[in-house]
Structures are given as structure tokens and as C-alpha cells.
């Protein structure tokens, strides 16, 4: 359980870096994502999940 909470905390830190350092570009990126069709967003989600699984496999 400790590792899961540590991973969640690290995720929050990493997720907060971009909006903290450059809120204007983060806002533009979010506006672009909102106007995208579902297909590219699903593909990005799939690639992200596969990269996470591959990273977990390499780490373990």
C-alpha cells in the first residue's frame, strides 16, 4: 500500500510541473485537446497505457 501511495504522490508532482512552469501553454494545450476528435484521444490514451505497462515490466 505504501508503494501505491508513493506512486500516486509522484504522479501528482509530475502532473503539476507543466501548469506550474507555464500556465499559458498548458491552457492552450487543454483547449486543443477539447477540440480533438475521440479517435486521436483514444490512441493517445492507449499509447500512454502501453508505455506505462512496458515501464512497469522493465522496472520489475
Amino acid at each position: 500500500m505504501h508503494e501505491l501511495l508513493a506512486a500516486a504522490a509522484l504522479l501528482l508532482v509530475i502532473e503539476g510541473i507543466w501548469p506550474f512552469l507555464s500556465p499559458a501553454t498548458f491552457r492552450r494545450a487543454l483547449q486543443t485537446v477539447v477540440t480533438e476528435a475521440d479517435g486521436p484521444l483514444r490512441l493517445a490514451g492507449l499509447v500512454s497505457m502501453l508505455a506505462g505497462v512496458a515501464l512497469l515490466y522493465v522496472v520489475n
Side-chain angles (χ1 to χ4, degrees), residues 10 14 47-60:
L10 185 58
I14 292 170
V47 169
S48 177
M49 289 187 302
L50 292 176
V53 168
L55 183 60
L56 279 173
Y57 179 76
V58 168
V59 168
N60 289 322

Side-chain angles (χ1 to χ4, degrees), residues 1 8 12 14 36 38 40-41 45 51-52 54:
M1 187 64 173
L12 290 173
I14 292 170
E36 281 289 327
D38 287 348
L41 293 176

Side-chain angles (χ1 to χ4, degrees), residues 18-19 22-36 41:
W18 188 14
S22 184
T25 58
F26 183 72
R27 186 177 296 112
R28 282 194 304 269
L30 287 179
Q31 288 171 343
T32 302
V33 168
V34 169
T35 60
E36 281 289 327
L41 293 176

